[in-house]
């Protein structure tokens, strides 16, 4: 019977990642990378330097700078939102153009994908102002897929014997039906979205999850379950942050207790989800992606990937991991599914006993916006060195978790390049 080891599993996952549909996904995500990396820098500046509780604002006492630049900050906030919508629009356009079978309808398909995603991403406010809805990458991919399938459904074969003008005329006329169909579907979705918002289904779902988890996120198994669900949702491009914001009460109880006894060791809930996740399982964003960047920059031989991750390092260091998620990419790539999920789970298991048995103080103090992941535990404990070392240990462990997957991908990429070079020589 054939024996399977970690190397064979990685090779199998890599082969899945090279299938046609995953190539379509990869091309679509990489196309949006320039916008995403610029947006990552802007968001880092906005959170760390231009909010009242920003990391650099608190350290360098820049409150007056923030107060005197309110207009600039508002404009930057709008720009960040627009760039996010623009990046997801690019993903929808590129994916639709990759999937569509007819090259004649490629441009029209991409244009309708952009139109559909933008229309579905805006709504009118109470004063009839435009409000941009930040949909996730999955929504963009589904939009592109739906538009391309609609064009394929109404596709008409063009006679190659006809002249170019005749073929262009036929292609233009055949585009009318899919365009009308897409506009009709977009209108229906807008109406349904209005009904969903007006009925408060999202709010009701959030309330149910909060009630179910609020009193059960202090022990290890529920925390691991929550982290697993969060990692899966992020890996699939689904923004579900609102479902996992239930630990405010634990934070307040811990903070009040620490202030009363003047020491964070006295925390009532030292192993709350918020404590473990933000300080020990979120270094560089979900999936501990700061560890991936470090591994690739140290052992990677592919200069293009190293340059890509060099551009992504600063946003990721400040916990904005979207450039790595889309540019490497991590999202939807089976070869990185295991380390992306394992890293936060393993680091949580490592940190849990240290906090539960008061080996290190629990991170209970408020942390400024945009604080680098490595410094969160240090600041949240009032400058405790052992807690900082524990966070550093979690990062090192995550590097070792990513190491075999990065080495395997680099080896397989080099083998493919060698095959291509040998085929050219022949």
């Amino acid at each position: 019977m054939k024996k399977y080891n970690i190397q064979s599993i990685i090779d199998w996952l890599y082969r899945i990642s090279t299938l046609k549909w995953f190539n379509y996904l990869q091309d679509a995500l990489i196309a949006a990378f320039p916008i995403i990396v610029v947006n990552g820098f802007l968001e880092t500046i906005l959170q760390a330097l231009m909010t009242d509780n920003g990391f650099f604002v608190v350290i360098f006492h820049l409150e007056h700078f923030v107060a005197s630049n309110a207009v600039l900050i508002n404009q930057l906030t709008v720009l960040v939102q627009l760039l996010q919508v623009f990046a997801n629009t690019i993903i929808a356009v590129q994916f639709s153009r990759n999937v569509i079978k007819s090259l004649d309808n490629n441009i029209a398909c991409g244009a309708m994908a952009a139109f559909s995603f933008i229309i579905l991403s805006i709504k009118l406010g109470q004063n009839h102002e435009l409000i941009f809805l930040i949909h996730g990458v999955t929504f963009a991919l589904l939009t592109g897929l739906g538009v391309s399938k609609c064009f394929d459904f109404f596709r008409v074969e063009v006679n190659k014997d006809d002249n170019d003008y005749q073929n262009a005329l036929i292609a233009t006329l055949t585009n009318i039906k899919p365009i009308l169909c897409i506009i009709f579907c977009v209108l229906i979705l807008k109406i349904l979205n209005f009904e969903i918002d007006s009925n408060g289904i999202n709010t009701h779902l959030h309330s149910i999850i909060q009630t179910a988890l609020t009193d059960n996120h202090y022990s290890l198994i529920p925390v691991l379950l929550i982290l697993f669900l969060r990692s899966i949702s992020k890996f699939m491009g689904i923004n579900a942050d609102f479902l996992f914001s239930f630990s405010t009460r634990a934070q307040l109880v811990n903070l009040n207790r620490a202030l009363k006894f003047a020491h964070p060791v006295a925390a009532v809930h030292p192993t709350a989800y918020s404590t473990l996740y933000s300080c020990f399982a979120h270094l560089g964003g979900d999936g501990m992606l700061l560890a991936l960047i470090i591994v690739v920059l140290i052992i990677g031989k592919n200069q293009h990937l190293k340059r890509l991750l060099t551009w992504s390092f600063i946003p990721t260091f400040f916990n904005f991991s979207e450039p790595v998620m889309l540019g490497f990419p991590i999202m939807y790539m089976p070869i990185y599914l295991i380390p992306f999920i394992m890293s936060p789970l393993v680091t949580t298991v490592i940190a849990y006993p240290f906090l539960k048995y008061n080996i290190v103080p629990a991170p209970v103090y408020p942390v400024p916006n945009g604080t680098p992941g490595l410094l969160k535990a240090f600041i949240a404990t009032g400058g405790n060195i052992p807690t900082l070392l524990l966070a550093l240990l979690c990062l090192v462990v995550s590097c070792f978790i990513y190491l075999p997957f990065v080495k395997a991908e680099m080896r397989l990429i080099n083998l493919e390049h060698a095959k291509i070079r040998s085929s050219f020589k022949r």
Side-chain angles (χ1 to χ4, degrees):
M1 185 176 179
K2 185 177 180 180
K3 294 183 179 180
Y4 291 92
N5 52 27
I6 185 65
Q7 191 60 54
S8 62
I9 294 174
I10 293 173
D11 292 349
W12 178 71
L13 291 173
Y14 180 79
R15 285 194 295 271
I16 295 178
S17 301
T18 58
L19 295 177
K20 180 179 67 175
W21 278 90
F22 287 103
N23 287 332
Y24 292 163
L25 285 169
Q26 192 173 28
D27 290 342
L29 296 179
I30 291 176
F33 174 75
I35 304 299
I36 289 295
V37 74
V38 171
N39 197 50
F41 277 100
L42 292 178
E43 195 163 0
T44 300
I45 294 172
L46 183 65
Q47 292 295 323
L49 188 60
M50 294 188 172
T51 59
D52 293 332
N53 190 36
F55 177 68
F56 293 113
V57 174
V58 173
I59 290 179
F60 299 109
H61 304 288
L62 300 175
E63 292 82 4
H64 177 71
F65 170 79
V66 174
S68 61
N69 290 277
V71 176
L72 174 62
I73 294 171
N74 290 335
Q75 295 300 320
L76 186 60
T77 302
V78 173
L79 179 60
V80 167
Q81 293 177 346
L82 287 174
L83 284 175
Q84 186 66 56
V85 174
F86 184 41
N88 288 337
T89 304
I90 291 175
I91 293 173
V93 170
Q94 187 65 29
F95 191 63
S96 66
R97 296 184 65 182
N98 287 343
V99 172
I100 191 170
K101 298 176 182 178
S102 174
L103 293 177
D104 296 328
N105 293 339
N106 193 286
I107 296 177
C109 180
M112 286 308 298
F115 166 81
S116 302
F117 186 80
I118 291 173
I119 295 299
L120 293 172
S121 298
I122 59 176
K123 71 174 183 178
L124 291 177
Q126 294 180 350
N127 298 322
H128 300 287
E129 74 278 12
L130 288 179
I131 299 175
F132 287 91
L133 306 173
I134 308 300
H135 292 299
V137 174
T138 298
F139 187 81
L141 292 171
L142 290 176
T143 302
L145 179 63
V147 169
S148 63
K149 291 302 180 183
C150 186
F151 271 86
D152 276 336
F153 181 78
F154 291 102
R155 180 167 59 97
V156 175
E157 295 294 338
V158 177
N159 189 355
K160 296 182 180 180
D161 295 332
D162 293 337
N163 58 46
D164 293 339
Y165 176 78
Q166 187 74 16
N167 290 337
L169 184 61
I170 294 173
T172 299
L173 293 174
T174 56
N175 285 341
I176 295 177
K177 289 182 180 179
I179 289 174
L180 289 175
C181 179
I182 291 167
I183 292 175
F184 175 76
C185 292
V186 168
L187 289 175
I188 294 297
L189 288 175
K190 292 294 289 184
I191 294 172
L192 291 177
N193 185 59
F194 173 79
E195 291 297 327
I196 290 175
D197 288 341
S198 62
N199 292 330
I201 291 179
N202 291 336
T203 304
H204 186 61
L205 177 63
H206 180 263
S207 177
I208 293 174
I209 294 177
Q210 295 287 301
T211 303
L213 295 177
T214 295
D215 297 325
N216 298 291
H217 65 276
Y218 308 129
S219 56
L220 182 60
I221 299 303
V223 168
L224 293 179
L225 177 60
I226 295 167
L227 284 173
F228 176 79
L229 295 175
R230 183 187 181 97
S231 298
I232 287 292
S233 66
K234 288 291 183 178
F235 188 82
M236 298 299 294
I238 301 171
N239 187 6
D241 290 340
F242 74 99
L243 296 177
F244 305 103
S245 59
F246 52 82
S247 43
T248 305
R249 188 175 71 178
Q251 290 175 308
L252 292 176
V253 170
N254 285 340
L255 179 59
N256 290 333
R257 187 68 176 269
L259 293 175
K260 181 178 179 180
F261 290 93
H263 202 285
V265 172
V268 178
H269 305 296
T271 58
Y273 164 77
S274 60
T275 302
L276 290 165
Y277 165 73
S278 62
C279 295
F280 304 105
H282 193 249
L283 308 183
D286 292 280
M288 301 284 286
L289 290 180
L290 183 59
L292 171 67
I293 291 182
I294 293 173
V295 171
V296 174
L297 292 180
I298 291 176
I299 72 164
K301 296 182 180 180
N302 189 304
Q303 295 302 316
H304 297 296
L305 287 179
K306 293 180 73 171
R307 286 177 58 192
L308 183 148
L309 292 185
T310 300
W311 277 104
S312 306
F313 180 80
I314 292 179
T316 306
F317 185 71
F318 288 90
N319 294 322
F320 298 105
S321 58
E322 284 78 8
V324 183
M325 291 292 293
L326 275 70
F328 195 72
I330 296 294
M331 195 177 294
Y332 294 106
M333 290 298 111
I335 189 171
Y336 286 109
L337 174 62
I338 293 176
F340 187 83
I341 294 176
M342 279 185 60
S343 292
L345 298 181
V346 172
T347 53
T348 299
V349 171
I350 291 173
Y352 185 86
F354 283 89
L355 300 181
K356 183 174 179 62
Y357 299 108
N358 294 326
I359 300 173
V360 298
V364 297
Y365 298 124
V367 176
N369 295 331
T371 299
L374 267 178
L375 298 180
K376 279 188 174 182
F378 180 73
I379 294 175
T381 54
N384 184 265
I385 298 297
T387 310
L388 174 62
L389 295 177
L390 178 60
L392 186 60
L393 172 64
C394 291
L395 180 62
V396 172
V397 170
S398 294
C399 288
F400 280 103
I401 293 174
Y402 275 103
L403 181 61
F405 295 89
V406 172
K407 290 176 67 176
E409 185 179 29
M410 297 300 172
R411 177 179 59 83
L412 293 170
I413 289 175
N414 291 335
L415 286 175
E416 288 187 357
H417 288 174
K419 291 179 181 178
I420 293 173
R421 286 195 297 267
S422 63
S423 64
F424 277 125
K425 290 180 181 179
R426 289 196 297 269

